[in-house]
Structure formats: C-alpha cells, structure tokens
C-alpha cells in the first residue's frame, strides 16, 4: 500500500489520470480496495464517489482479492459456435463456483473474458493470462482438475505495462488548470 | 523531402542494414498475440541459442495474418533467391517449440522445400524450388497495402520502419496546407473504419473549422467487437503507421495533441504502441517543431478497462477524461465539444493508418481498388467455423464467399455454412444464402445488418442461431452503460424472452413481444441501444424456421439448448462409459443400484428405457449438457429432443 501511495504521487493531479491511477492500484495491490479508492480520491482531488464510479463501471477492475489461479473464460462468439458455453459449464461444475466468483479458499477463480482475437484457438480460456486452447470438452475437465490439484499453474507472464504520462504538452494545457500542481506535496 | 527527414532516413537505413549482412539468412518469428497464444514466445526462446549456432539473424516481427498456422516463422535466404531484386523468403508454420532444432536445420539445409516440407507454406518472395505464397488460397486474393510490412519488419524497431519509408508522408504533410490534406483525404474517399463509414476528410474539416487553440485527436483502438482484431494486428505489427497517420491528421486539423485509446485486453498492443511513441519522440517525429516545420504534435495512450460502450465515440471521450464511459446524446458532436470540452475528432485506428498511404500515393491510387461507395482496401478478421481463420486485407467489393469460403476455406470437416455474423454484437445475423454479398456497406445495410469494423464470423449447422442471438443480447445487456432505461431494460426483457424460448417455454405471442422490444429500443439514447435489436431482427428475418421450431415444437435443431435437449445412454454396454463417468463434471453418470430396479421411479421419463438397456444412467437433473460423455463414447450417448421424448410419457 505504501509503495502504491508513493507511485500515485508521481501522477499529475488531474481527473484525466483516473484510469491510470486505478490500473496502478490494481497492478500494485491486485484489486481496488476501499483504501485505494480513498487515496486516489485525495490525490486527484475528487470525491470518493467520483473514483468509485469508474472503479465499478469498468469490468476489468476487481473489488475483491484475485485468486491464485485465475481462469478467464472467453465469452466470445467464435468460441461459442464451437462449444464455448459448455466449457463454462464444465469449469463452473468442477470449481464449484459460478462465473465471476472465486472458490471459497480463493485458490481458483472463474471470470468472464472478452474475445481478444485469438479466435483460431477457440474454444479457449486464459489461465493466469495465458491462452489455453483449443479445448475439447474432455480437455476442459482435465485442465480444471489439474488446476484444482494445484498442477499446471501458469505464472502470470505479464510484464507490468508502463504508460508514460503526457510529455511535452504540459499537463495544464492538456487538462485545464484547475487544482493542479499548487497542491503538490500537500499529502 | 526535408533535409531533416533525409538525414533520419539515411541513418535508419544504415542501422537497419547493419542488422543483416547480404549473405546471412534471416529468421523472422511472428511474435503477436495470436502466435504467442500458440506459444511462439517459447519457440523464440528455443530458437535463440540455435540461431547463434547456425549464424543466422533472429528477428521479431508482427503477423502475416496466417493465424491458424501460428507459430509462423519466415526464413529468408538470399542464396535461394530466384529474382535479381532479392527474394528467398519462405514462410513456414506451425513450428512447435519441440521441433525448433529439426526445423531450423531443415529450413537452412540444401533442400528446404523437401526437408522442411511438413512446415512449408510458401515463398513470400521468389525462391528457387518453392511454390509462391501467392498460389495459396488465403494469400492470393489479398491486396496488402496496410499490411505491406506486417510480419516483415520488426514492430519494435523504428529504424526498420523508417528504412521502409515510414514518416515520409508526414514529412510531406507538414509542408502542405491543412485544408489541402483534408481535401486529399476527402477525394480519396476514406470512410471511417469503425463501422459508420463517415468520410474522414469531412470530419477533419469540421475540426479544422472549429475554434482553437486547443483541439484533440482521439484514436479509437477500443475494438470491442468480439471476433474483430483488425486494430490489434495493426498496432502490434506496424505501430508507426498509426502514429504517422495521427500526426498527419493533427497537421490537417490544427490539432497538436492526441489520445490513443487501447482496450485493456490488448496488452501487447499497449506495450508496442508505447514503445513506438517513445521512439518516435526521441527522434523528433513527435514533439515540438517536427522536421523543422513549426508543427507540434504529441500523443499519449489511454488504457481502457473493459467496457464495450467506450468504443462509442462520446463514451470513448468520457473514458479518456477519466469518468465512467457513458455515451452522451449528440449533438454536440465531438468536433464541437469533445475531450475536456475542447473540439475533438475521433477516428478508428485503421482509418488513421490509411492516411500516410494516401499522402504518399495520392487519392487516385487509393481508389484503384474498392467500390464507388467504399473505395480502397479493408482488413478483415475472419473466424468461427473456418478451416483457415486469420486476418487479411482485400479490396472492398470482394464477394463474402470469396473471402470466407475461398480464403477462409469454409467450415472444417465437411460441415455446411449456416450463417454469418458480421460487424460485432450490434451487426446482426445473415443466412448462408447471403454469402454472395459484396463486401461494401450498402448491400449489408440493405439486408438490415452492418458490415462493421471488419470482424466476420462464419457458423455452421452445429451452432444455434437462437443461442447466438441470446448471447449477443446478453452482451448488449451486460455492456449497456445503464444511463437510459430503454436500453438496459429493453435488452433485459429481450434476454428474458430468449431464455424462456430456449427453455421450452416459448409462446406464440413472443414474436409480437420481440417486435415491441425492438421498436422500443430504437428510442434508446445512443447507438448501442438502438442497434441492440439487430441480432434478434436477423433471427426473426433470416432464421425464422429455427425460431418457430423452438417455440412451436419446443425443439432445438442444433441441439445446443440445455432446456430443450437431454443426453441419453443408448448403448450401456459401451466400455468407454466407465471413463465418461469418471470425467463427468457433475458425476451424473452412474450405475443404478441393483435394488433400486424394482422401484424404478415411476413416471420419471426414460427410466423404463435405461432399465431396459442396462445399468448405466444419467441423472437428468444434474446433467449440465457439457458433452464430455459423448466425446468419449460417441456411440453410447445420444442427444435427444427433451420434449418429444416426454410428451408421450407425461
Ligand atoms: C456501442 C458502440 C461501440 C463502438 N465501438 C467501436 C470500436 O470499438 N471501435 C471503433 O473504431 N468504433 C466503434 N464505434 C464507432 C464509433 O462510435 C465511431 O463511429 C468511430 O470510432 C468513428 O471513427 P471512424 O469514423 O474512423 O470509423 C462504436 C459505436 C457504438 C455505438
Ligand atoms: S471468440 Fe474466443 S477468442 Fe475470439
């Protein structure tokens, strides 16, 4: 949390930094906690509700800690026309949780994902961000069971994505001049 | 050419040439989202030490578009060139990590056409003894303009891009009068690639005419349509083309700052675009006083967070501003009031990417391909029930059958095409009999669907049109921003009706109800709600038989609706049932206890039958219709219509 608070200070104090701040929170903390919302609100000089709004509007932001192994099920049409919905039912039955939930011990989670255009692998899921497909239904059961047994866990391959803040056009020109900079260091 | 650009280009050509000697083979590995899904990153790791051994240059490239053959590797051998102007580039795939050593030895050996035949796809450039890629049905009909360098240059190297001419058009544009650029783009007739097809030049003129000084450009790389991945391929394979297009648009509209809004599902696009921005800025291709012309322009990336309506331009603008991405009622249009209330222009990624080519080659060149209503070429991503899913670029006006059945190879394993889903969740559905439509906007609009942003999904008789419609309606419900009740309430009711129909509770009056929901949704605030009924309209118009069968006969011809089907054991002696039972996720296949036989739960459908057939049973209430058992024991399990079977019993 401290590290997050520190990194947050490096973002300009502007409403336009909201998504960057929320992404930062999720990357650093794994999810958007109430405390993170409070910190972001203070830093961007907006109300907590103005953070809570976007934090809950966008599907990618999580409001509970992530599972150790996350299975993201592709809901897309190319997957669906070749049995994707059956894959969902298999994982739900094997994990004993519904789409959008974690297992009781937070070891496994099954969440909805949107097509990212790797449709030639259909039907597929992502295990910790890595595509696994094409899956026959038998493959799906076996994969679910191996994951339940703690095998086959794929480490998150993600390199953290760094997006540079605006560079040459200064923040003032970009975002309008309200409540910027003058309050730097106040927190 | 300005002297600044001249110098840049010379330096870049030197740097790019230094990477390869004329004799040394070049091994290009497709590293894109699709290939990484097929483990190309692991293949790359395996190839690295091998490349050193064989003394070849290993190069990271974007994608050629042959997604079904990923991981794709191209080996360019000057010694095998069959043409004076270079050649010898042969494309192979899929190359599995475990075969890396064997593959490389064969491809670099004396007779690659034979020794590496199991991976051989074709020769991209003239090569001795290798059939050209142009003979491949996927490749032949293409007209690769935007994709000219994709899969060939390293998307993470600015030198390679510049050596191939990148930013040359910007160099010209900075000396042009802004209105002249707008006129040029208008004369070329570039229609917006995000689906609307609005003339880009016209939109730019609106922004040029808007009062300054602050004006913003937005690049719509939200690409929310499932099945569409055109923008992703553009950004991953040739990011500088997008940046150059935006910079030219900046010059044409009097704007000096832009936002590239990329959906969060595309981490590699975000990474490569960010790198490309940094590189361009470091060379003065972005920033102040570009090419000494006095023109300032810079860009930043906004990373989306998973919301479909943010693809709608006013929603996109809201999202860039850091608030909830809810669309607003237009007018005011973005050119009047856009990002942070300043005049703005939103275009799709592919729209911007076309611009450098037009500045370079002229409007007439651009119009050499395409049709009157849609000049030029278009990238399409094709998927679904296809032999060869992938991404390709063809002239507007090509027949859809040529694209999906010719290039894409149609459905695999002898299945028959049943329909097409163009243009994403809001695009609607077409029957297979419309496969002959020309790929341009008017014939699609006439049929009540949208050609959209380039995603085309073919489905065959195994898919249910009702199920697909329910999926798209659910999608629209899920992604509704919630501001207007018409939209979120309307799509909710639509989903309820379709769910009921798929459960065997369809009623005759449901058609009237669907019609009423359709008419109501047309009054939604934004296009999301207004286009939500396109899918169900397609169902009613083109798949009426199937819908009627669901309602009147309570039967799903494709047998995918769990509510209308059931799994039955027809051959209890099949030994594979043992394995099926072991893998059944709900353990609903079991041997009935012997003593239970005489009680044989009276009235329970199928009880008599399973008893007569033997002791394996499917516990119907727990069956989730996952098809695992049938995959294992296809002869022992049959999917039957639920209601025909019970009607006689009950
Ligand atoms: C619900 C909805 C979603 C949209 N999603 C996208 C999208 O993902 N990408 C896109 O370029 N345009 C999308 N559009 C179209 C945009 O509103 C807008 O027309 C387009 O970005 C303009 O650029 P163009 O003229 O270059 O096509 C969407 C529209 C609607 C109504
Ligand atoms: S539909 Fe699943 S990856 Fe495209």
């Amino acid at each position: 949390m401290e590290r997050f608070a520190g990194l947050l200070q490096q973002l300009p104090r502007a409403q336009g930094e909201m998504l960057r701040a929320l992404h930062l929170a999720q990357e650093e903390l794994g999810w958007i906690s109430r405390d993170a919302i409070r910190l972001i609100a203070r830093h961007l000089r907006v109300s907590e509700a103005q953070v809570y709004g976007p934090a809950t509007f966008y599907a990618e932001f999580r409001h509970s800690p992530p599972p150790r192994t996350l299975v993201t099920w592709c809901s897309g049409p190319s997957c669906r026309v070749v049995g994707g919905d059956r894959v969902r039912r298999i994982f739900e039955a094997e994990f004993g949780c519904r789409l959008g939930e974690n297992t009781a011990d937070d070891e496994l989670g099954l969440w909805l994902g949107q097509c990212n255009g790797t449709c030639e692998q259909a039907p597929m899921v992502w295990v910790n961000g890595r595509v696994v497909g094409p899956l026959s239904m038998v493959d799906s059961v076996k994969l679910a069971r191996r994951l339940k047994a703690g095998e086959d866990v794929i480490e998150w391959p993600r390199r953290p994505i760094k997006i540079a803040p605006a560079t040459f056009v200064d923040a003032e020109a970009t975002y309008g001049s309200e409540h910027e900079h003058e309050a730097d260091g106040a927190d | 050419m300005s002297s600044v650009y001249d110098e840049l280009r010379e330096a870049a050509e030197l740097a790019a040439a230094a990477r390869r000697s004329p004799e040394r083979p070049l091994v290009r590995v497709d590293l894109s989202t699709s290939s990484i899904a097929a483990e190309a990153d692991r293949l790359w790791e395996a190839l690295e030490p091998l490349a050193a051994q064989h003394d070849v240059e290993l190069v990271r490239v974007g994608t050629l578009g042959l997604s079904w053959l990923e991981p794709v590797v191209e080996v360019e051998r000057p010694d095998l060139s069959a043409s004076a102007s270079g050649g010898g580039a042969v494309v192979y795939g899929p190359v599995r990590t475990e075969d890396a050593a064997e593959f490389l030895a064969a491809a670099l050996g004396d007779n690659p056409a034979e020794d590496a035949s199991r991976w051989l796809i074709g020769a991209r450039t003239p090569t001795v003894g290798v059939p050209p890629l142009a003979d491949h049905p996927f490749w032949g009909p293409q007209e690769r303009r935007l994709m000219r360098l994709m899969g060939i240059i390293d998307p993470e190297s600015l030198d390679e891009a510049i050596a191939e001419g990148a930013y040359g058009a910007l160099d010209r544009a900075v000396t042009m009068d802004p209105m002249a650029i707008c006129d040029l783009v208008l004369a070329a007739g570039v229609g917006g690639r995000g689906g609307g097809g609005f003339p880009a030049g016209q939109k730019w003129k609106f922004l040029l005419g808007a009062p300054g000084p602050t004006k913003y450009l937005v690049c719509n790389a939200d690409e929310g349509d499932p099945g569409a991945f055109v923008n992703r391929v553009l950004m991953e394979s040739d990011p500088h083309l997008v940046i150059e297009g935006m910079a030219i648009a900046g010059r044409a509209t009097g704007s000096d700052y832009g936002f590239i809004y990329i959906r969060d599902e595309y981490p590699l696009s975000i990474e490569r675009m960010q790198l490309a921005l940094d590189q361009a800025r470091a060379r003065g291709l972005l920033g102040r006083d570009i090419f000494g012309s006095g023109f300032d322009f810079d860009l930043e990336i906004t990373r989306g967070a998973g919301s479909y309506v943010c693809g709608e331009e006013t929603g996109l603008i809201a999202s860039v501003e850091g608030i909830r991405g809810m669309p607003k009622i237009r007018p005011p249009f973005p050119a009047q009031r856009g990002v942070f209330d300043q005049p703005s222009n939103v275009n799709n990624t592919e729209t911007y990417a076309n611009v450098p080519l037009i500045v370079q080659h002229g409007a007439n060149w651009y119009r050499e391909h395409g049709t009157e209503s849609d000049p030029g070429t278009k990238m399409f991503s094709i998927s679904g029930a296809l032999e060869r899913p992938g991404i390709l670029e063809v002239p507007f006006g090509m027949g859809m059958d040529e694209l999906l059945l010719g290039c894409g190879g149609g459905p695999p394993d002898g299945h028959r095409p049943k329909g097409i889903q163009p243009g994403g969740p809001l695009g609607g559905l077409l029957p297979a009999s419309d496969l002959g439509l020309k790929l341009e906007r008017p014939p699609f609009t006439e049929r009540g669907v949208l050609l959209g942003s380039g995603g085309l999904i073919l489905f065959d008789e195994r898919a249910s049109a009702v199920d697909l419609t329910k999926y798209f309606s659910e999608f629209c419900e899920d992604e509704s921003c919630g501001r207007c009740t018409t939209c979120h309430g309307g799509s909710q009711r639509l989903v309820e009706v379709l769910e009921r129909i798929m459960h065997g509770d369809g009623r005759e009056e449901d058609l009237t109800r669907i019609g009423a929901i359709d008419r109501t949704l047309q009054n939604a605030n934004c296009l999301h709600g207004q286009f939500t009924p396109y899918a169900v309209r397609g169902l009613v118009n083109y798949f009426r038989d199937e819908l009627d069968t669901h309602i009147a006969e309570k039967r799903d011809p494709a047998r995918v609706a769990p509510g209308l089907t059931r799994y039955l054991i027809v051959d209890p002696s099949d030994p594979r049932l043992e394995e099926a039972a072991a893998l059944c996720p709900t353990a609903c296949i079991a041997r009935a206890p012997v003593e239970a036989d005489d009680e044989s739960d009276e009235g329970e459908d199928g009880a008599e039958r399973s008893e007569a057939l033997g002791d394996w049973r499917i516990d119907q209430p727990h069956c989730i219709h996952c098809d695992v058992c049938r995959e294992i024991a296809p002869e022992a399990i049959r999917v039957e219509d639920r209601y025909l079977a019970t009607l006689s019993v009950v």
Side-chain angles (χ1 to χ4, degrees):
Chain A
M1 186 54 97
E2 248 163 54
R3 200 175 114 98
F4 164 64
L7 289 170
L8 187 62
Q9 293 301 321
Q10 293 169 15
L11 291 183
R13 290 180 187 281
Q15 173 85 45
E17 299 297 319
M18 182 68 74
L19 287 182
R20 256 193 278 269
L22 287 166
H23 277 302
L24 184 67
Q26 181 140 313
E27 249 156 44
E28 288 295 316
L29 312 170
W31 59 296
I32 312 284
S33 62
R34 190 62 208 260
D35 288 342
I37 288 182
R38 195 168 300 136
L39 277 177
I40 293 172
R42 264 214 244 148
H43 180 72
L44 299 183
R45 302 250 180 270
V46 295
S47 72
E48 280 182 40
Q50 282 169 296
V51 185
Y52 188 78
T56 49
F57 179 83
Y58 297 96
E60 292 276 314
F61 297 129
R62 298 187 282 261
H63 300 280
S64 55
R68 202 165 67 88
T69 300
L70 176 61
V71 174
T72 312
W73 167 74
C74 178
S75 61
S78 304
C79 287
R80 191 158 186 120
V81 299
V82 289
D85 206 40
R86 294 185 176 129
V87 174
R88 171 182 61 82
R89 295 198 290 266
I90 288 172
F91 276 93
E92 285 182 337
E94 286 291 336
F95 285 8
C97 67
R98 300 264 303 262
L99 192 64
E101 295 175 353
N102 291 355
T103 51
D105 55 4
D106 276 341
E107 277 293 300
L108 299 163
L110 178 66
W111 294 0
L112 183 141
Q114 298 294 350
C115 168
N116 76 339
T118 45
C119 309
E120 65 282 350
Q121 307 285 348
M124 50 159 272
V125 296
W126 293 267
V127 178
N128 282 350
R130 181 143 201 137
V131 173
V132 183
L135 292 168
S136 71
M137 301 309 129
V138 171
D139 292 341
S140 306
V141 175
K142 290 185 172 165
L143 174 65
R145 291 190 181 169
R146 284 198 304 270
L147 293 173
K148 268 202 299 195
E151 298 162 30
D152 265 25
V153 177
I154 296 165
E155 291 307 316
W156 281 95
R158 273 170 176 270
R159 286 173 270 173
I161 299 164
K162 289 197 195 66
I163 300 183
T167 42
F168 100 94
V169 177
D170 44 14
E172 196 159 310
T174 312
Y175 302 113
S177 60
E178 300 131 72
H179 49 242
E180 273 171 20
H181 303 307
E182 86 273 7
D184 263 0
D187 276 7
Chain B
M1 267 192 274
S2 72
S3 57
V4 186
Y5 180 71
D6 256 352
E7 274 170 38
L8 257 179
R9 176 141 184 187
E10 240 166 71
E13 276 169 1
L14 279 177
R19 254 185 123 161
R20 47 175 307 183
S21 78
E23 296 91 43
R24 228 157 134 235
L26 207 62
V27 177
R28 298 187 173 95
V29 183
D30 177 329
L31 282 174
S32 59
T33 298
S34 284
S35 72
I36 291 171
E39 311 211 324
D41 50 346
R42 293 187 180 143
L43 173 67
W44 173 272
E45 281 166 19
L47 284 172
E48 265 180 334
L50 294 167
Q53 275 169 31
H54 287 278
D55 191 32
V56 296
E57 191 68 47
L58 201 57
V59 183
R60 163 201 326 105
V61 294
T63 188
L64 289 169
L66 314 161
S67 310
W68 83 102
L69 290 171
E70 300 287 8
V72 167
V73 177
E74 180 181 286
V75 179
E76 181 165 352
R77 292 177 55 180
D79 60 316
L80 292 185
S81 164
S83 136
S85 56
V90 180
V91 182
Y92 302 93
V95 182
R96 305 268 163 239
T97 311
E98 57 272 20
D99 300 337
E102 196 190 332
F103 160 74
L104 204 59
L108 293 170
D110 294 333
N111 192 357
E114 207 155 283
D115 301 341
S117 61
R118 51 184 267 230
W119 298 282
L120 187 70
I121 304 171
R124 188 176 55 78
T125 56
T127 306
V128 181
V130 182
L133 196 53
D135 291 349
H136 195 288
F138 188 85
W139 195 269
Q142 291 197 50
E143 191 56 53
R144 293 167 75 97
R145 288 175 162 183
L146 294 166
M147 294 182 81
R148 184 176 68 95
L149 299 175
M150 293 187 195
I152 298 166
I153 58 162
D154 177 353
E156 301 190 9
S157 159
L158 178 56
D159 287 326
E160 287 198 8
I162 295 181
E164 291 289 347
Y167 296 100
L170 176 62
D171 180 47
R172 180 179 303 182
V174 293
T175 62
M176 287 171 73
D177 178 52
M179 190 51 107
I181 307 177
C182 292
D183 281 331
L184 176 66
V185 173
L186 194 58
V190 190
R193 298 293 200 256
F198 195 84
Q202 190 64 51
K203 246 174 24 185
W204 291 10
K205 281 189 182 182
F206 293 148
L207 186 62
L208 180 61
T214 314
K215 298 178 193 177
Y216 293 120
L217 290 184
V218 184
C219 172
N220 190 341
D222 194 43
E223 199 160 56
D225 294 345
F229 42 100
V230 171
N231 293 177
R232 189 200 85 204
V233 165
L234 260 167
M235 293 184 286
E236 283 177 9
S237 301
D238 196 356
H240 289 286
L241 192 62
V242 180
I243 299 176
E244 187 180 6
M246 287 194 77
I248 296 172
R251 170 71 189 174
T253 57
S255 153
D256 66 1
Y257 203 79
F259 301 87
I260 306 177
Y261 187 96
I262 309 178
R263 68 197 291 240
D264 202 35
E265 286 85 346
Y266 289 175
L268 189 63
S269 298
I270 297 178
E271 211 178 292
R272 291 212 171 132
M273 283 307 296
Q274 183 63 55
L275 182 69
L277 285 184
D278 294 343
Q279 291 170 337
R281 203 175 287 125
R283 299 255 182 119
L285 297 162
L286 289 173
R288 291 203 191 279
D289 195 16
I290 296 168
F291 298 133
S293 64
F295 168 57
D296 302 341
F297 189 74
D298 211 338
L299 287 167
E300 71 175 272
I301 291 174
T302 304
R303 176 176 163 197
S307 161
Y308 179 70
V309 274
C310 285
E312 196 281 338
E313 58 184 15
T314 56
L316 192 77
I317 287 169
S319 193
V320 168
E321 292 170 348
I323 54 180
R324 286 176 295 170
M326 295 169 131
K328 299 185 184 111
I329 293 175
R330 298 176 302 181
F333 288 95
Q336 299 160 305
R337 206 191 302 156
V339 184
F340 300 110
D341 289 341
Q342 304 299 322
S344 304
N345 174 66
V346 182
N347 272 131
N348 177 265
T349 320
E350 192 185 353
T351 313
Y352 285 121
N354 269 296
V355 172
L357 305 180
I358 294 164
V359 171
Q360 210 167 15
H361 302 288
N364 288 334
W365 171 86
Y366 181 80
R367 298 186 78 101
E368 273 168 20
H369 289 293
T371 65
E372 198 45 44
S373 62
D374 296 88
T377 57
K378 173 86 188 80
M379 287 167 70
F380 287 99
S381 53
I382 59 176
S383 62
L386 279 185
E387 196 76 61
R388 295 185 285 270
I391 178 140
L392 61 193
E393 182 176 1
V394 298
F396 272 118
M398 181 193 240
M400 189 158 48
D401 45 359
E402 212 181 321
L403 187 75
L404 292 175
L405 308 183
C407 300
D413 309 325
H415 292 290
R416 286 181 324 280
K418 173 171 172 177
I420 310 108
Q421 203 285 303
L426 309 177
L429 298 175
L430 281 175
S433 54
D434 277 334
L435 269 168
L437 288 191
K438 296 229 172 311
L439 290 163
E440 52 175 338
R441 279 174 298 117
F444 281 72
T445 320
E446 271 164 35
R447 299 290 281 152
V449 298
L450 301 172
L451 179 53
S453 63
L456 289 172
I457 297 165
L458 186 73
F459 54 98
D460 59 25
E461 80 285 351
R462 290 170 296 172
S464 151
V466 181
D467 181 59
L468 262 182
T469 307
K470 188 187 96 172
Y471 158 69
F472 286 120
S473 307
E474 269 172 358
F475 182 95
C476 292
E477 178 199 342
D478 241 24
E479 297 293 342
S480 167
C481 81
R483 198 196 293 273
C484 68
T485 315
T486 322
C487 172
H488 75 246
S491 48
Q492 270 168 3
R493 299 293 87 74
L494 190 54
V495 171
E496 281 165 12
V497 172
L498 290 169
E499 251 168 12
R500 194 154 45 64
I501 292 174
M502 287 185 68
H503 253 93
D505 297 324
R507 306 166 198 154
E508 225 165 283
E509 63 270 25
D510 279 340
L511 278 168
T512 323
R513 194 164 288 134
I514 288 172
I517 298 173
D518 182 344
R519 281 192 303 281
T520 311
L521 276 167
Q522 288 168 33
N523 298 310
N525 271 350
C526 85
L527 293 176
H528 181 78
Q530 289 163 25
F531 288 179
T532 291
Y534 270 50
V536 77
R537 219 179 287 161
L539 177 69
V540 172
N541 289 340
Y542 305 127
F543 298 91
R544 182 62 179 271
D545 281 356
E546 197 175 332
L547 182 61
D548 285 346
T549 311
H550 273 71
I551 296 176
E553 298 176 29
K554 304 192 188 307
R555 208 157 59 72
D556 173 9
R559 299 222 163 94
V560 299
L564 295 178
T565 52
R566 57 184 189 159
Y567 280 69
L568 285 180
I569 295 172
V570 290
D571 177 10
S573 65
D574 195 315
R576 286 170 297 184
L577 283 173
E578 199 84 49
E579 190 192 346
L583 280 179
C584 173
T586 58
C588 72
I589 305 181
R591 286 183 195 274
V594 186
E595 63 271 21
D597 267 8
D598 41 15
E599 290 169 23
S600 111
D601 10 31
E602 46 321 90
E604 175 49 24
D605 53 85
E608 277 167 286
R609 187 175 189 157
S610 351
E611 194 192 357
L613 294 173
D615 49 3
W616 282 107
R617 267 193 207 183
I618 295 181
D619 176 16
Q620 291 297 335
H622 289 112
C623 173
I624 55 169
H625 297 238
C626 69
D627 219 35
V628 168
C629 55
R630 197 172 56 149
E631 250 179 45
I632 296 171
E635 286 89 30
I637 306 275
R638 202 162 65 210
V639 190
E640 290 206 337
D641 297 321
R642 170 172 298 215
Y643 285 97
L644 279 190
T646 38
L647 281 179
S648 53
V649 179
V650 180

